[in-house]
Amino acid sequence: MLPDSALRTTALGAVPLPAPLRRCAALVRHNTALLLGEPGPLASRMILPLVFVTLLRPLYTAAEGTAAGTVQAVTGTLITFSLLALSIVGGSILTERLWHTWDRLRATTAHPLEILAGKAVPVLAALLAQQAVVLGFGALALGLRLDHLPLLGAALLCWTLTLLGLGSALGVLARSHGELSAGYDIGGMLLSSLGGAFVPLSALPHWVRTIAPASPGYWGAGALRAALAGEAPRVLECCAVLLGFALATALVAARGLLRASARTAL
């Protein structure tokens, strides 16, 4: 448990920071230590995608050609396993709730949004690292071309913010680790499949293509593929929709935590 004194102190000789930033920095350090203390889930989300992309790439290249097949294999695997990494986001919040340490954090001077920010920053870095590993492997081992890095960076950031929102909402709404597991397993596979991660949408039934835009995975995959192709207008369109998903799910998470805090106060 992070003591309230850790939210107030500043290193000797350091430039004083505003109180909210000081509290957020302390929470970021605390949650980074917790994340690194249990590296298994994060390591599995980094290693397994490399195995899958290696095994699936020959199938896609045989069907679509080397360049298109490589893009399909890498982006599809990235979208799928980053959605499964919702377990990292949601688990960090659910554990606080089940251990009742969330209530103790709320008893400190930290605002709920500061607590969420303290949890979000380490997970944001972890998710970006996971995606960088997959793309780097694709570039170094499979010949994936990364010619438009600014567009790719924008697509990855917007997609990761969406994952943070989805995972936070899932961690707030789930009542047990079993529910959380079902949520990210079923939800992750469903959203990635609707996004065309495993099978290109052009090969799926018409009704699937019709409802696909309701899935964040559709826009995430679209943003990544457009970024790799250098299609800036499409990247901007997909990023705008992803930010909408991120904002909506973040509001759900924040409202749920604020209501839980209000019930505790009563």
Side-chain angles (χ1 to χ4, degrees), residues 161-170 242 244-254:
L161 290 174
T162 303
L163 293 173
L164 281 176
L166 288 169
S168 298
L170 191 58
L242 288 174
F245 277 114
L247 178 60
T249 51
L251 288 174
V252 170

Side-chain angles (χ1 to χ4, degrees), residues 8 26 28 39 43 49-50 75 106 117-118 122 126 131 154 158 196 198 216 225 255 260:
R8 297 193 300 264
V28 166
L50 307 185
T75 57
R106 284 294 296 120
Q131 295 166 44
C158 292
F198 289 116
R225 290 165 188 161
R255 182 179 180 186

Side-chain angles (χ1 to χ4, degrees), residues 79-248:
I79 292 295
T80 300
F81 279 89
S82 58
L83 279 167
L84 292 176
L86 293 177
S87 60
I88 300 172
V89 186
S92 66
I93 294 177
L94 180 60
T95 298
E96 295 274 14
R97 291 173 51 220
L98 294 181
W99 289 357
H100 302 291
T101 50
W102 170 260
D103 297 334
R104 296 169 66 185
L105 278 173
R106 284 294 296 120
T108 69
T109 54
H111 189 275
L113 295 181
E114 294 170 2
I115 299 173
L116 283 178
K119 288 193 167 296
V121 171
V123 176
L124 176 69
L127 291 174
L128 287 173
Q130 177 211 35
Q131 295 166 44
V133 167
V134 176
L135 288 171
F137 179 80
L140 295 174
L142 307 177
L144 180 70
R145 295 183 62 87
L146 305 178
D147 296 329
H148 308 281
L149 292 180
L151 289 178
L152 187 58
L156 289 176
L157 179 59
C158 292
W159 172 239
T160 304
L161 290 174
T162 303
L163 293 173
L164 281 176
L166 288 169
S168 298
L170 191 58
V172 169
L173 297 176
R175 292 172 295 180
S176 67
H177 283 287
E179 286 190 7
L180 178 68
S181 177
Y184 67 73
D185 279 342
I186 298 172
M189 297 302 293
L190 180 62
L191 295 179
S192 61
S193 298
L194 285 177
F198 289 116
V199 181
L201 287 175
S202 58
L204 293 174
H206 176 73
W207 67 269
V208 176
R209 298 196 298 272
T210 301
I211 65 173
S215 166
Y218 170 87
W219 299 100
L224 290 176
R225 290 165 188 161
L228 291 171
E231 300 171 357
R234 175 62 175 166
V235 173
L236 293 176
E237 176 190 11
C238 293
C239 284
V241 177
L242 288 174
L243 290 176
F245 277 114
L247 178 60

Side-chain angles (χ1 to χ4, degrees), residues 61-82:
T61 55
E64 303 181 32
T66 301
T70 300
V71 169
Q72 174 69 34
V74 173
T75 57
T77 302
L78 187 152
I79 292 295
T80 300
F81 279 89
S82 58

